[in-house]
Amino acid sequence: MDEVRSEALAWARSRARGLERKDAGRRTPVGMSRLIEPGGDQVWWVPGTPDDVTPAVLHELGMSPPTVERSALTCEVLACCLRLCWTDFASSPWPGIPTSVGAVTDVRTLLRPTQTWGKLRDGVTEVARRLSASGWLLWDEDTGVIRLGARVATWPQADLDQFAEICRTLPRGRSESSA
């Protein structure tokens, strides 16, 4: 009975707090995926849902995605982060490799050459905060390092194939254009 309570509590916390990072030694609750952080000392517990679940069911479970402010900018910044962090389009994007706010801004500069670098960087910073708060990115504001969040591991394979095609069309950035 304690196991059932423990798993129910883990699901309730997940609904209330979002994705959680835990010590690697803890048992993962039933129905959640265990994503191991680089280094192996911590894991993410990611609630699983069937690929064909509808938005109404996600809403009922408290798992619906948050409303996105400035959705075009948010999608663009997330795509730039994917392009820089996802190294092998044949495999899962998570955990990917770290990048920086500057590198993401450089990619946006190549996409939006008429905007100033400072304005583009402000947009990246604003969106990185929101995407980090919702688990799509992990961003350390002190160092400026951005990584893909565990939430990207929840994307179905059909979506990953489409995202990979989009990422292939995006530039890698000035400093990485030869990669």
Side-chain angles (χ1 to χ4, degrees):
M1 190 59 132
D2 286 338
E3 275 187 50
V4 172
R5 283 188 192 136
S6 175
E7 288 177 0
L9 184 57
W11 274 88
R13 283 187 179 134
S14 175
R15 288 176 61 181
R17 298 179 186 163
L19 302 180
E20 291 190 283
R21 194 179 340 200
K22 300 290 185 181
D23 291 331
R26 295 188 65 182
R27 191 178 68 76
T28 306
V30 172
M32 290 192 179
S33 299
R34 177 186 182 92
L35 302 175
I36 301 170
E37 271 286 318
D41 58 342
Q42 295 199 319
V43 297
W44 288 92
W45 289 353
V46 180
T49 56
D51 287 345
D52 60 349
V53 71
T54 65
V57 171
L58 289 176
H59 180 71
E60 183 179 321
L61 292 173
M63 298 172 66
S64 56
T67 303
V68 178
E69 297 174 29
R70 300 180 66 187
S71 60
L73 173 63
T74 301
C75 290
E76 191 173 282
V77 170
L78 183 57
C80 291
C81 291
L82 273 172
R83 178 61 176 119
L84 293 168
C85 296
W86 191 3
T87 57
D88 179 6
F89 295 136
S91 66
S92 171
W94 194 87
I97 62 169
T99 191
S100 67
V101 171
V104 175
T105 303
D106 283 345
V107 173
R108 284 205 67 228
T109 301
L110 295 170
L111 296 174
R112 304 269 184 220
T114 59
Q115 291 184 354
T116 65
W117 196 86
K119 183 176 180 180
L120 290 168
R121 182 180 171 90
D122 290 347
V124 169
T125 301
E126 171 191 337
V127 169
R129 276 190 189 109
R130 284 198 311 268
L131 289 172
S132 182
S134 61
W136 294 108
L137 297 178
L138 297 174
W139 180 38
D140 183 337
E141 285 196 55
D142 295 333
T143 63
V145 173
I146 293 175
R147 265 192 18 187
L148 298 176
R151 190 168 272 217
V152 302
T154 65
W155 287 330
Q157 187 61 45
D159 290 348
L160 287 179
D161 294 340
Q162 292 175 357
F163 293 148
E165 285 305 311
I166 291 168
C167 286
R168 283 185 185 96
T169 66
L170 295 174
R172 293 264 315 156
R174 291 183 173 94
S175 62
E176 303 177 20
S177 58
S178 60

